[in-house]
Amino acid sequence: MKYSGIPDLEHLEEWTELGIPFEYDDFMYPGMLDQKEETERRIREYLQAERDRSQDTLHGPFLDIAVHSSDRMIRRTSDYRIRQACEIALRLQVRGIILHTNIIPNFYEPNYRQGWIDRNEEYLTALLEDYPDFSVYMENMFDEEPDCLVALAERMQGKRFGICLDLAHANISRSGIAAWEKACAPYIAHYHINDNDGKVDSHLAVGEGEIDWERVRPQMKKDISILLEVSSLEKYKKSLVYLRRENCE
């Protein structure tokens, strides 16, 4: 099993030697997207690495992004940031870009939740028509339950859309990992995994938190790409050692 990793330019050669897919997270921050020269430098260095990029993914912007907003100015700015990332995704020739639900958790006003589904369907359908070379995988953020994300995935069937199920986020939700897995199963196209204490999304190495990976890992869908979403090469290797030692693969 080849788990994807998040490369950093300082250790790019070491990451490349692992022979794994990458998920680029350099370009999800507005501060980076506004630095044209630095963005170009990073793109060039990633393109110069001698490796297969066909299974790579790119993490899109998520801070303050709300394509479902009732405020057209917020929608416009959100679209601008997402399309900046989409242009980078094209250049890196990734297979998919990760976007977040960014729904307001615990806000159950019916018009808001229905609006979230309707506007996301409209927006993502148009976005995928404009960018036919990759898919969109939507990640659960701090959603408490999978209902809205699953409803959107049902509508988006056949449109190069899938769910990126973040199990660490699911672990801190009130629904729990098992409920998310069951509800999202037909639509899961990508996983994010790391560990936490069930309260804070601390991105610990796998095996350093409270998630029972010996139970959880075998229940995950087979033949689906998995990102070890940790912040360093050291944490990536530590996670890998744990998964293999505990026979979690």
Side-chain angles (χ1 to χ4, degrees):
M1 175 69 191
K2 288 187 176 181
Y3 293 92
S4 303
I6 301 172
D8 63 280
L9 292 179
E10 184 179 353
H11 302 97
L12 185 56
E13 185 175 345
E14 294 173 75
W15 280 105
T16 300
E17 289 173 354
L18 294 175
I20 61 171
F22 288 169
E23 184 158 303
Y24 309 96
D25 71 355
D26 311 53
F27 312 107
M28 64 183 182
Y29 300 108
M32 175 60 65
L33 294 172
D34 286 339
Q35 297 180 51
K36 185 173 181 180
E37 290 185 6
E38 178 61 18
T39 294
E40 289 296 323
R41 182 185 74 84
R42 289 173 182 255
I43 293 171
R44 284 196 306 271
E45 291 203 32
Y46 287 133
L47 289 175
Q48 288 167 3
E50 295 183 0
R51 52 178 301 280
D52 175 18
R53 297 193 306 278
S54 64
Q55 296 305 305
D56 290 355
T57 48
L58 183 144
H59 201 304
F62 69 94
L63 291 168
D64 303 319
I65 298 297
V67 299
H68 55 279
S69 175
S70 59
D71 187 324
R72 65 182 179 84
M73 297 299 290
I74 292 173
R75 294 199 304 271
R76 182 183 301 174
T77 301
S78 298
D79 175 60
Y80 175 75
R81 289 302 192 195
I82 288 173
R83 287 176 183 269
Q84 282 182 296
C86 285
E87 291 299 318
I88 296 170
L90 282 181
R91 294 177 62 184
L92 292 174
Q93 298 176 302
V94 303
R95 67 179 176 89
I97 184 170
I98 314 300
L99 301 180
H100 280 198
T101 53
N102 281 351
I103 196 168
I104 301 174
N106 297 315
F107 185 39
Y108 295 104
E109 200 282 321
N111 289 335
Y112 170 77
R113 294 176 76 83
Q114 189 61 51
W116 184 93
I117 297 168
D118 294 342
R119 291 194 181 103
N120 269 285
E121 179 189 18
E122 180 182 8
Y123 177 78
L124 293 171
T125 298
L127 186 76
L128 287 166
E129 288 176 356
D130 290 344
Y131 292 95
D133 295 326
F134 55 78
S135 299
V136 166
Y137 306 130
M138 181 165 280
E139 175 183 349
N140 54 306
M141 186 60 169
F142 298 128
D143 320 40
E144 293 288 2
E145 59 282 303
D147 305 39
C148 285
L149 181 54
V150 170
L152 175 63
E154 288 174 349
R155 289 195 185 183
M156 293 295 293
Q157 289 183 82
K159 298 180 181 179
R160 290 178 289 112
F161 176 91
I163 289 175
C164 169
L165 184 56
D166 188 309
L167 295 182
H169 290 170
N171 190 53
I172 63 176
S173 77
R174 68 180 181 186
S175 300
I177 290 176
W180 278 90
E181 277 276 16
K182 182 178 180 180
C184 296
Y187 313 107
I188 298 171
H190 190 47
Y191 282 103
H192 282 179
I193 67 173
N194 52 63
D195 223 325
N196 60 49
D197 63 359
K199 299 175 182 178
V200 178
D201 184 33
S202 46
H203 284 235
L204 301 175
V206 173
E208 292 190 342
E210 69 154 28
I211 297 176
D212 183 357
W213 292 104
E214 291 184 58
R215 180 185 61 81
V216 170
R217 181 67 184 92
Q219 299 303 313
M220 295 168 65
K221 285 183 70 174
K222 310 301 181 188
D223 303 318
I224 298 294
S225 57
I226 303 172
L227 170 69
L228 290 179
E229 194 182 18
V230 290
S231 59
S232 69
L233 186 58
E234 179 186 4
K235 286 186 177 181
Y236 177 91
K237 291 180 177 179
K238 186 179 293 186
S239 298
L240 207 57
V241 167
Y242 173 85
L243 289 165
R244 290 174 175 168
R245 184 183 66 233
E246 302 299 325
N247 296 315
C248 294
E249 296 192 6

